[in-house]
């Protein structure tokens, strides 16, 4: 049940009956101000302009044909021709009962599910995961969860960087260390340190560098010994990534990994095809495509290199191969990429080229959902005090430690076991929420104090709002999970809370379309705030409250708790009984 869609359909059909041509939309939206009703249809103005009549007359004609019997208590014209719709509290109460007791909180599976490929996290395996990998990992995961929830077939693709020249250097280093008797797992224990050493040897020692380059050639031509070392290196790196995903409560697993190396055999055919189609041409020994569609201000085409002079392939070449695989083999209707905004030109080139080459049909939706950078308090990209990259594992451990301190002072009665669970969920939730609640396209400043605050639009506040309702049920001696009651909405705070509750499907629909998780955070924050207002104005457990009023308010509260838990789950954030 999606109120906006329901009202939109009704107004649309009234417009139709009023003789308004089908190309005019009802422009239905949640009302911005109290007093304008709950929803507003603003379509009369556009229609009137085109039909050269008075908008208020058009609005009246729409209302004359509008059937909102049993749904709205009042429909009125306001201002230049707005139609204000006031929902009927009786209808809202019925919907509230049905939705708050339903498994998916009123969200029905789509009639026409899509096959959606989501490319996210995708770290380069040459290094330990650092803060720069956080955003793609958690934003992509939230969107994967949302689309799955709406009924789409979601295929996660962790397009890890597990191929390319840096592996020659790493293999040379691994071989040297193995020569000194170390086992690969031990040598690779400190991935980051290992990478730094390899890099240093590569830069300082020409013989080492030659050997590294030789290994790249051997790796690409399938040399068994070199391949074994590469496999080992890849295995350890992936274990490390999986450990991070587990800590982060992210749904990426082993089966979702399909990195650059998987496309090795497709690269030559892709280049050959682009050449055969006359798209790729030789330019100073390299193979390139001139994309006039992406020309700059001076009219110079954007140049995509797909094969280097020395025969090596590029990042774009494997992305083209990956796109072809996702369409051809995975049968994607929609492909979403969660990658840093700095790769926008790269993605545009890949999408444009894929279309020109016929890898992607008209109907395929290719979407780069870019995001900004996480900054330190100095406004520069987030770094350690000594200027190094901040390892993600360390950051997450620190979050849990800091949360433990907060929780210990707030609730000293928790057992050690409860404390560990709460600290982990609050700490990780705080980091994720602080990121997800920002408009993803902006940069944002990472700040421990504000993300761990128990007030305001934060993870801990949302988790706290949930536990608060749990505690109301404990005090009422009721089991929230099985509780069911009729609902009667008499107070304005109850009506407002019910409307907000019933808007979850609208929020989910919007996120599924635009991939902005902050829309969910804002919604949950509004919901939690309305709950606090309701709880102050409408006592539940106080002496003298009528039994029917009490159970009705408990049902509303259960709806809020379930919606908070569901919304947080879609963001990949966990709730708990108490904190
Ligand atoms: N490995 C790349 C990087 O770390 C990101 C890959 C994103 N996915 C893609 N299909 N290009 O920058």
């Amino acid at each position: 049940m999606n109120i906006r869609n329901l009202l939109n359909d009704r107004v649309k059909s009234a417009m139709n009956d009023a003789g308004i041509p089908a190309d005019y939309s009802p422009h239905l939206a949640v009302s911005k101000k109290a007093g304008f009703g709950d929803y507003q249809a603003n379509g009369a103005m556009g229609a009137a302009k085109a039909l050269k009549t008075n908008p208020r007359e058009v609005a009246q004609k729409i209302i004359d044909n509008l059937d909102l019997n049993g749904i709205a208590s009042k429909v009125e014209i306001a201002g230049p021709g707005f139609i204000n719709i006031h929902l009927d509290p009786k209808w809202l109460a019925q919907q509230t009962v049905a939705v708050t007791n339903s498994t998916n909180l009123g969200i029905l599976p789509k009639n026409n599910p899509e096959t959606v490929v989501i490319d996210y996290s995708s770290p380069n395996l040459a290094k330990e995961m650092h803060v720069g990998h956080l955003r793609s990992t958690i934003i992509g995961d939230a969107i994967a969860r949302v689309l799955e929830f709406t009924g789409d077939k979601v295929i996660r693709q962790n397009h890890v960087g597990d191929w390319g020249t840096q592996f020659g250097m790493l293999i040379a280093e691994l071989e040297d260390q193995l020569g000194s008797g170390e086992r690969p797992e031990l040598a690779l224990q400190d991935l980051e340190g290992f990478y730094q050493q390899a890099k240093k040897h590569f830069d300082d020692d020409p013989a080492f560098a030659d050997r590294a380059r030789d290994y790249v050639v051997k790796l690409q031509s399938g040399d068994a010994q070199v391949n074994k070392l590469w496999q080992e290196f890849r295995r350890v790196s992936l274990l490390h990534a999986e450990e991070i995903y587990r800590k982060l409560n992210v749904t990426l697993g082993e089966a979702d990994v399909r990195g650059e190396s998987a496309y090795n055999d497709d690269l030559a055919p892709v280049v050959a095809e682009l050449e055969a189609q006359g798209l790729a041409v030789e330019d100073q020994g390299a193979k390139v495509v001139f994309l006039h569609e992406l020309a700059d201000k001076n009219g110079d085409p954007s140049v995509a290199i797909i094969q280097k002079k020395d025969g090596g392939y590029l990042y774009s070449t494997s992305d083209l191969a990956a796109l072809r695989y996702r369409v051809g083999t995975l049968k994607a209707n929609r492909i979403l990429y969660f990658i840093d905004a700095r790769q926008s030109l790269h993605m545009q080139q890949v999408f444009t080229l894929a279309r020109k080459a016929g890898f992607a049909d008209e109907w395929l939706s290719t979407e780069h959902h870019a995001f900004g950078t996480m900054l330190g308090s100095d406004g520069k990209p987030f770094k350690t005090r000594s200027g190094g990259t901040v390892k993600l594992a360390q950051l997450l451990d620190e979050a849990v430690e800091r949360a433990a301190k907060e929780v210990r002072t707030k609730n000293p009665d928790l057992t050690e076991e409860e404390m560990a669970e709460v600290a982990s969920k609050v700490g990780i939730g705080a980091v994720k929420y602080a990121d997800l609640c920002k408009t993803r396209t902006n940069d944002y400043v990472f700040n421990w104090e504000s993300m761990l605050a128990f007030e305001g639009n934060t993870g801990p506040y949302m988790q706290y709002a949930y536990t608060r309702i749990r505690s109301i049920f404990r005090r009422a001696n009721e089991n929230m999970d099985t509780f069911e009651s009729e609902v009667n909405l008499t107070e304005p705070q109850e009506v407002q809370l019910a409307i907000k509750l019933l808007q979850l499907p609208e929020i989910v629909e919007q996120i599924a379309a635009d991939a902005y998780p902050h829309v969910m955070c804002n919604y949950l924050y509004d919901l939690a705030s309305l709950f606090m207002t309701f709880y102050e104005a409408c006592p539940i457990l106080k002496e003298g409250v009528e039994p029917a009023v009490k159970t009705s308010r408990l049902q509303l509260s259960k709806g809020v708790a379930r919606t908070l838990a569901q919304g947080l789950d879609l963001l990949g954030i966990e709730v708990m009984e108490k904190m």
Side-chain angles (χ1 to χ4, degrees), residues 19-91:
I20 298 167
D23 15 318
Y24 296 103
S25 145
H27 286 298
L28 212 115
V30 175
S31 297
K32 298 242 157 44
K33 263 196 213 155
F36 288 2
D38 303 310
Y39 283 78
Q40 218 173 35
N42 296 340
M45 270 81 70
K49 202 169 169 195
L51 303 171
K52 297 201 170 55
T53 50
N54 176 333
R56 284 186 71 100
E57 265 168 42
V58 175
Q60 188 56 53
K61 264 204 216 158
I62 297 174
I63 291 180
D64 292 344
N65 287 283
L66 184 58
D67 176 15
L68 286 178
N69 224 332
I71 297 177
S73 54
K74 189 164 83 180
V75 180
E76 64 196 344
I77 304 180
F82 303 125
I83 300 173
N84 292 348
I85 302 173
H86 300 256
L87 296 168
D88 182 349
K90 274 207 215 64
W91 180 77

Side-chain angles (χ1 to χ4, degrees), residues 274-275 277-296 299-307 320 345 348-350 352-354 356-357:
L274 295 178
E275 278 190 291
Q277 294 191 27
L279 291 167
V281 293
E282 238 180 76
D283 188 59
Q284 298 163 45
K287 290 184 182 145
V288 307
V289 183
F290 293 103
L291 295 166
H292 295 279
E293 304 66 0
L294 302 178
D296 62 13
D300 293 330
S302 169
V303 186
I305 307 178
I306 53 169
Q307 189 170 15
L320 278 169
L345 176 61
Q348 265 186 304
Q349 289 189 333
V350 170
T352 310
L353 194 43
K356 290 186 83 153

Side-chain angles (χ1 to χ4, degrees), residues 57 186 238 278 334 371 377 460 486 488 533 573:
E57 265 168 42
L186 290 179
L238 283 174
R334 201 179 161 193
F371 47 82
S377 54
E486 286 303 308
N488 207 345
T533 314
I573 297 173

Side-chain angles (χ1 to χ4, degrees), residues 480-497:
M480 192 185 94
D481 302 316
T482 52
F483 185 86
E484 286 194 11
S485 159
E486 286 303 308
V487 166
N488 207 345
L489 304 170
T490 49
E491 301 304 318
Q493 294 85 354
E494 293 175 312
V495 176
Q496 288 317 306
L497 186 59

Side-chain angles (χ1 to χ4, degrees), residues 414-423:
L414 294 177
T415 64
E416 272 312 302
E417 208 178 310
E418 286 171 330
M419 179 68 70
E421 183 205 335
V422 172

Side-chain angles (χ1 to χ4, degrees), residues 68-259:
L68 286 178
N69 224 332
I71 297 177
S73 54
K74 189 164 83 180
V75 180
E76 64 196 344
I77 304 180
F82 303 125
I83 300 173
N84 292 348
I85 302 173
H86 300 256
L87 296 168
D88 182 349
K90 274 207 215 64
W91 180 77
L92 284 170
Q94 283 162 8
Q95 301 305 313
T96 304
V97 173
V99 163
T100 53
N101 289 334
S102 77
T103 330
N104 267 2
L105 291 164
I107 295 175
L108 300 172
K110 274 188 183 173
N111 293 328
N112 43 353
E114 292 184 281
T115 301
V116 187
V117 165
I118 308 187
D119 182 322
Y120 69 103
S121 193
S122 308
N124 287 334
L125 293 192
K127 288 187 185 178
E128 192 163 326
M129 283 180 79
H130 57 83
V131 292
H133 297 116
L134 181 70
R135 304 208 71 190
S136 172
T137 307
I138 66 177
I139 298 172
D141 197 54
I143 303 306
R145 287 165 181 261
V146 167
L147 288 171
E148 218 154 48
F149 188 62
T150 65
D152 279 335
K153 179 179 174 200
V154 170
I155 305 177
R156 294 167 171 80
Q157 291 282 279
N158 194 356
H159 189 85
V160 296
D162 59 355
W163 203 241
T165 45
Q166 76 273 31
F167 284 91
M169 160 184 113
L170 293 162
I171 288 166
E173 180 68 28
L174 189 56
E175 192 177 52
D176 288 353
Q177 296 206 10
L178 293 184
S180 67
E182 293 223 51
R183 290 211 325 273
E185 300 88 70
L186 290 179
L188 296 179
Q189 227 164 34
D190 171 18
L191 264 182
E192 194 65 23
F194 184 87
Y195 179 89
Q196 302 305 345
Q197 276 167 6
K199 178 98 179 68
K200 192 169 175 345
H201 288 148
F202 185 84
D203 291 341
D204 296 351
D205 177 356
F208 181 96
D210 280 343
R211 201 146 51 89
R213 277 187 279 268
D214 189 38
Y215 282 144
V216 178
V217 178
K218 282 194 171 143
L219 179 63
Q220 289 180 340
S221 58
D223 179 286
Q225 183 55 28
V226 172
N227 211 271
K228 219 177 121 208
L229 291 174
W230 171 76
Q231 284 290 356
E232 187 54 25
F233 188 83
R234 187 174 180 276
R235 190 184 66 83
V236 175
S237 310
L238 283 174
L239 281 179
H240 160 74
E242 271 158 28
E243 172 73 15
I244 299 274
Y245 298 149
R246 203 186 44 73
K247 273 194 187 161
L248 266 178
N249 186 34
V250 155
T251 58
L252 277 174
E254 224 182 305
D256 306 315
V257 175
R258 194 178 162 89

